[in-house]
Amino acid sequence: MSEVSFKLPEVIVNQYRKAEPLKAVCVEKKILVEGESGSDVCHIVFDTKDYKYKEGQSAPVIPPGENEQGKAHNPRLYSIASMGNDINHNEKLTLCVRRVVYNDESTGKEVKGVCSNYLCDLKEGDEVLMTGPSGRKYLLPDTSEINRPYVFLATGTGIAPFRGMIDRLLNHTPEFNSPIYLFFGARYKSEMMYEDEFSKIENPNFHYIQAISREQKNKEGGRMYVHHRMIEMSEELAGILQNDKTIIYLCGLKGMEEGIEEAMQVISKELGESENYLINKFQGRILKEVY
Ligand SMILES: Cc1cc2nc3c(=O)[nH]c(=O)nc-3n(C[C@H](O)[C@H](O)[C@H](O)COP(=O)(O)OP(=O)(O)OC[C@H]3O[C@@H](n4cnc5c(N)ncnc54)[C@H](O)[C@@H]3O)c2cc1C
């Protein structure tokens, strides 16, 4: 990720390492989405004791067992879906995990992702090895610069970091009085994770916009993605996209950047500017985490 143009908070990374990982305990697990062919999404809460993290960081999880080379599995990263524990609150550390299940192209056999299936099969009381936390840059600004507009763009489990960030901004930052636009894309309405939480937020600064690709149509009659919603709302977004303080965060499926770039080009032209006006303007203020 290139340098950001705002002050980032100091965070702790690698408090725990592979040689001496944290033993986190699963204290709650629930299915958020019942996925097709068993690829559900789970909300998993851990007691992580003194693990010090901020929302936006990721937790690397070491699955038990060995890989094909007979070595311990590499840790897999998961975005932390709860607000950092620098502020006292009830939630410990939450992950939002999609169970990876796919058919191997060469053998045609069903393959289950090692770590995601391990996590989605956890039971309360199970112990999980974690390292990290990981990540110094995909963070909200330092408290001194936090009061500014935000555009959060999520697809699928990319919603995870925004759950904690929005909690911090709206519930734990008394001076915060700027707009937040959360765009969330998924295939079906039933895949809108945390909809119950986001749709309940009554703060007039908070705007929650859904793009449901297989159930809604864009202007051209095609599937509705996040970038189509941005273009639809270009008049409303014009002000905050021209504001030098606004930060855009995007998180989720690899490939979503293309559509977002297209939306920024369309909106730039609507503003009477050159195609790359907004893309250039947001250098250092657009943070991406795709996987
Ligand atoms: C910064 C970051 C944050 C992340 N945050 C989250 C998160 O919040 N939630 C979450 O669920 N995941 C997240 N991930 C992804 C996560 O780290 C794992 O990659 C994912 O869970 C799969 O791991 P696994 O061990 O289950 O699968 P593995 O056993 O590692 O298998 C995955 C392998 O299967 C292949 N594969 C996967 N799907 C298919 C397919 N349909 N067809 C063919 N091949 C396929 C992949 O190329 C890969 O080689 C994040 C990744 C990163 C880098």
Side-chain angles (χ1 to χ4, degrees), residues 58 63 76-80 96-105 112-117 157-158 160-161 289-291:
S58 300
R76 270 54 163 189
L77 289 174
Y78 294 92
S79 304
I80 298 173
C96 169
V97 181
R98 177 180 304 280
R99 189 191 284 274
V100 170
V101 182
Y102 62 96
N103 285 315
D104 185 278
E105 266 180 29
K112 291 184 170 180
V114 173
C115 195
S116 57
N117 281 271
T157 51
E289 188 142 278
V290 291
Y291 48 86

